[in-house]
Amino acid sequence: RHFALSISRLSDRNELPGLDLVPTSAFQEALHLLKIILNTHDVSVVPDVSPLASMTELLDVVVGPILTLSNMSACQLEPVDNAVYIINLVSCLYNVLAMYENTDKTLELL
């Protein structure tokens, strides 16, 4: 819930990417929140719940808003710049997720 509110606040800023097409500060804040969630995930899983099922459900809820935030910030770019920017964002997201267990399904989708 906290994550959804944070993403909502970040999307209200609607930052445009700079000429270098690197992730905006809003996107980087969203990645930071994602890292916090993933770092605490293992210790917070209820014993009766499969870690894989729990992680899959978590990523379904978290990655979507991050990608929406990405598309919102890229929509005003020229097509080639938009593509480069989205590739940069997906690459950053991929690198974060690749550090954690049970993220393979989401990594494949990216």
Side-chain angles (χ1 to χ4, degrees):
R1 180 173 218 160
H2 174 70
F3 184 80
L5 291 173
S6 296
I7 292 295
S8 176
R9 276 189 244 122
L10 292 175
S11 66
D12 289 344
R13 292 194 332 212
N14 199 18
E15 274 183 274
L16 295 176
L19 295 175
D20 54 3
L21 302 175
V22 298
T24 62
S25 63
F27 182 83
Q28 291 185 17
E29 285 179 48
L31 282 185
H32 178 71
L33 290 171
L34 176 61
K35 287 178 189 178
I36 291 170
I37 290 168
L38 293 175
N39 284 332
T40 59
H41 175 263
D42 288 337
V43 295
S44 65
V45 174
V46 178
D48 295 337
V49 178
S50 157
L52 177 59
S54 176
M55 180 64 85
T56 301
E57 184 178 329
L58 172 71
L59 292 175
D60 288 345
V61 171
V62 171
V63 172
I66 290 176
L67 292 175
T68 300
L69 177 64
S70 304
N71 286 325
M72 288 173 51
S73 62
C75 68
Q76 296 180 13
L77 296 172
E78 295 295 322
V80 172
D81 288 343
N82 184 315
V84 169
Y85 180 66
I86 294 295
I87 288 169
N88 288 341
L89 297 180
V90 169
S91 176
C92 289
L93 182 56
Y94 186 95
N95 289 335
V96 167
L97 293 176
M99 296 186 305
Y100 299 92
E101 292 182 27
N102 301 319
T103 60
D104 297 340
K105 187 175 180 181
T106 304
L107 290 171
E108 287 176 20
L109 293 174
L110 291 177

